[in-house]
Amino acid sequence: MKSLGNIKPFENKVWLSSPTMHGDELKYMKEAFDTNWMSTVGKNINEVERVVAEIVGCKYAVALSSGTAALHMATKLAGERLYGQAKPYEGTLRGHKVFCSDMTFGATVNPVAYEDGEAVFIDTEYDTWNMDPVALEKAFEIYPDVRLIVVAHLYGTPGKIDEIKKIADEHNALIIEDAAESFGATYKGKETGSFGGYNAISMNGNKILTGSSGGIFLTDSKDDADKVRKWSTQSREDAPWYQHEEIGYNYRMSNVIAGVIRGQLPYLQTHIDQKRSIYERYKEGLKDLPVKMNPYDEKSSVPNFWLSCMIIDEGAMSPMVRGDQEYLYQSVPGKTNPHEILEMLAVINAEGRPIWKPMHMQPIFRTNPFVTVEGNGRGRTNAYISGGSIDVGKDIFNRGLCLPSDNKMTVEEQDRIIDIIHRCFE
Ligand SMILES: *Cc1c(COP(=O)(O)O)cnc(C)c1O
């Protein structure tokens, strides 16, 4: 580690991204209490569904217990639509391959496994840190029968949607959009979460808006929205008794949690503006260093700037190695690495985080295929390419990190964080 100099630690921790409440959340929670709709039915749920569908521009929204539940329902529906109804003990994907974003949170791809599918990871591009359309095209050359693509917008930055949609259309494939992190972000004037056949948003505690937990499933298909309503409430048939003709789930959102989200929804733009200012201040404050911020295409996209991230230029990286659970680095004058910066941030009581570790590097997915632009994509190509520079996800993971991005962080606090990052390069 480098010297802190005279920089003082924060008395109160500066978080990566923590909930920001405004007051109305409590009013709507109390309304649920006072009217005794302490259940998975009620006005808050109806309002959340109405408003989120309106914001995103999808016809139907179904409020669920988590973003993961929304992605599970999306994945299950996609499997049923593509491959027909499964047997009760089978997932709807039953052995079929699914092209998935590689550099994302595990919840993007776990539902593929819940439904007995096999995720094929598609490498990342440097322009937006999302699924690389060139690698996707290549994946269709290798696996022409694939019909489903799960694509995430990392850190609130829209991916290359037009290119991905074009490839999907050419191969008659369905898209599931994981907009868990990108609520409010737009691509060519349209909201993320409106481009896929089925889409998901998360209201988890660290997201741009939160209900403490929660998720929203989105689609333009009434039949599919109705199906998710049924599946998520234990698949009860319309009968006088509990009648079950399909496997059920208990995935519906609580009306109390919906009250929190209902109170948060009017503040979406406020939060985006705050997060954007944080991003711009980092960009300005770090511009003299050999680093870059997480990029986006200014012509096509307006991110929600959920997390500000940076990547260290290759030439400014000090030696660093990572095992499965631990790391080692050498502190070198004039250079640094993500862990040195994260440790320095921790010393002043600020929370950063490594870049989401790509799925193809995760032990649980070690046997899944991974397709890069130059690798042959069959089996464990990542072992072969790890010596080169064409594993983009691995490269961003090695050189990048997420900076404290809490919208309650003051300018003074952020300045101190920027100072600390400068010290890391001394
Ligand atoms: C948070 C997140 C999810 C899961 O949402 P939960 O509400 O926590 O279940 C899924 N995908 C991505 C990319 C996320 O960041």
Side-chain angles (χ1 to χ4, degrees):
M1 261 208 289
K2 306 283 166 59
S3 151
L4 270 186
N6 55 1
I7 301 176
K8 298 259 176 316
F10 302 123
E11 236 166 81
N12 297 312
K13 183 163 176 169
V14 175
W15 298 93
L16 183 73
S17 181
S18 74
T20 303
M21 295 293 127
H22 300 275
D24 282 351
E25 297 89 349
L26 196 58
K27 182 179 98 186
Y28 293 124
M29 284 168 79
K30 191 166 178 306
E31 191 177 293
F33 185 94
D34 291 341
T35 56
N36 204 34
W37 288 102
M38 300 296 282
S39 176
T40 50
V41 230
K43 186 159 178 210
N44 289 333
I45 294 174
N46 299 342
E47 274 303 289
V48 165
E49 291 182 344
R50 186 184 66 76
V51 175
V52 171
E54 194 179 290
I55 292 174
V56 176
C58 261
K59 288 202 182 109
Y60 304 97
V62 184
L64 300 175
S65 54
S66 69
T68 310
L71 285 161
H72 184 194
M73 294 290 89
T75 308
K76 186 178 166 80
L77 270 173
E80 197 170 279
R81 178 154 139 193
L82 294 169
Y83 308 115
Q85 208 172 12
K87 299 198 173 69
Y89 50 83
E90 271 182 340
T92 61
L93 290 170
R94 38 199 188 298
H96 291 279
K97 289 186 165 58
V98 178
F99 294 150
C100 297
S101 285
D102 177 58
M103 200 169 82
T104 183
F105 185 57
T108 308
V109 304
N110 281 334
V112 171
Y114 302 165
E115 291 303 321
D116 298 339
E118 186 188 8
V120 174
F121 300 117
I122 309 297
D123 201 9
T124 309
E125 35 82 1
Y126 285 109
D127 300 334
T128 77
W129 293 9
N130 286 301
M131 182 186 280
D132 185 348
V134 181
L136 179 64
E137 183 75 71
K138 176 122 185 271
F140 274 113
E141 282 165 25
I142 304 166
Y143 307 105
D145 297 334
V146 170
R147 304 284 310 283
L148 181 59
I149 305 168
V150 185
V151 57
H153 305 290
L154 203 71
Y155 304 132
T157 300
K160 298 189 173 182
I161 296 174
D162 276 354
E163 288 93 326
I164 288 169
K165 271 197 87 126
K166 183 164 172 280
I167 296 166
D169 290 345
E170 280 165 11
H171 294 88
N172 200 15
L174 183 63
I175 294 176
I176 292 176
E177 213 186 333
D178 179 356
E181 301 178 0
S182 66
F183 187 32
T186 59
Y187 179 83
K188 299 192 174 168
K190 243 180 121 206
E191 296 281 321
T192 58
S194 68
F195 292 96
Y198 308 121
N199 313 303
I201 287 172
S202 167
M203 298 287 177
N204 174 16
N206 68 358
K207 299 298 193 313
I208 193 137
L209 293 190
T210 184
S212 70
S213 64
I216 318 279
F217 168 86
L218 291 149
T219 187
D220 283 333
S221 156
K222 181 169 191 308
D223 285 351
D224 289 329
D226 287 344
K227 203 155 233 189
V228 169
R229 283 175 207 285
K230 178 185 169 191
W231 286 348
S232 64
T233 51
Q234 308 285 20
S235 290
R236 290 177 308 212
E237 300 297 332
D238 189 12
W241 44 80
Y242 288 139
Q243 174 85 2
H244 300 295
E245 295 173 13
E246 292 180 285
I247 295 293
Y249 302 84
N250 184 5
Y251 276 174
R252 199 72 165 120
M253 182 182 281
S254 146
N255 192 46
V256 180
I257 281 176
V260 183
I261 298 170
R262 188 178 171 193
Q264 289 259 287
L265 284 170
Y267 295 92
L268 177 58
Q269 193 56 49
T270 309
H271 287 195
I272 294 173
D273 294 345
Q274 291 165 337
K275 297 269 189 184
R276 184 183 193 124
S277 305
I278 290 168
Y279 179 94
E280 303 291 350
R281 282 203 295 270
Y282 275 129
K283 192 167 188 174
E284 180 62 27
L286 301 173
K287 70 178 182 200
D288 56 324
L289 294 176
V291 305
K292 285 174 196 65
M293 296 298 292
N294 49 329
Y296 66 98
D297 179 1
E298 291 179 33
K299 288 195 294 293
S300 67
S301 323
V302 184
N304 70 5
F305 299 95
W306 174 54
L307 291 189
S308 287
C309 307
M310 58 172 247
I311 181 163
I312 301 167
D313 291 354
E314 241 156 317
M317 278 281 291
S318 54
M320 173 188 92
V321 287
R322 283 169 168 157
D324 267 341
Q325 317 254 345
E326 64 292 297
Y327 62 85
L328 267 178
Y329 70 82
Q330 204 182 343
S331 196
V332 174
K335 297 183 175 192
T336 192
N337 63 73
H339 285 295
E340 185 166 58
I341 297 174
L342 291 170
E343 284 179 8
M344 291 280 279
L345 289 173
V347 168
I348 63 158
N349 208 15
E351 184 189 35
R353 192 165 291 170
I355 295 296
W356 295 184
K357 183 172 175 170
M359 291 302 117
H360 79 276
M361 296 175 72
Q362 301 288 355
I364 183 70
F365 295 123
R366 65 189 159 265
T367 58
N368 293 54
F370 171 51
V371 181
T372 67
V373 173
E374 285 164 59
N376 70 12
R378 288 177 206 278
R380 298 229 33 192
T381 53
N382 50 323
Y384 149 67
I385 55 178
S386 62
S389 62
I390 53 175
D391 183 341
V392 177
K394 183 173 186 176
D395 181 40
I396 297 173
F397 174 59
N398 281 341
R399 295 192 287 125
L401 70 148
C402 306
L403 298 166
S405 306
D406 197 73
N407 45 349
K408 295 171 295 311
M409 175 169 62
T410 65
V411 173
E412 190 277 325
E413 285 169 331
Q414 192 175 353
D415 284 344
R416 236 190 289 179
I417 288 164
I418 291 168
D419 282 348
I420 282 286
I421 298 169
H422 278 86
R423 290 213 156 244
C424 294
F425 284 93
E426 282 177 0

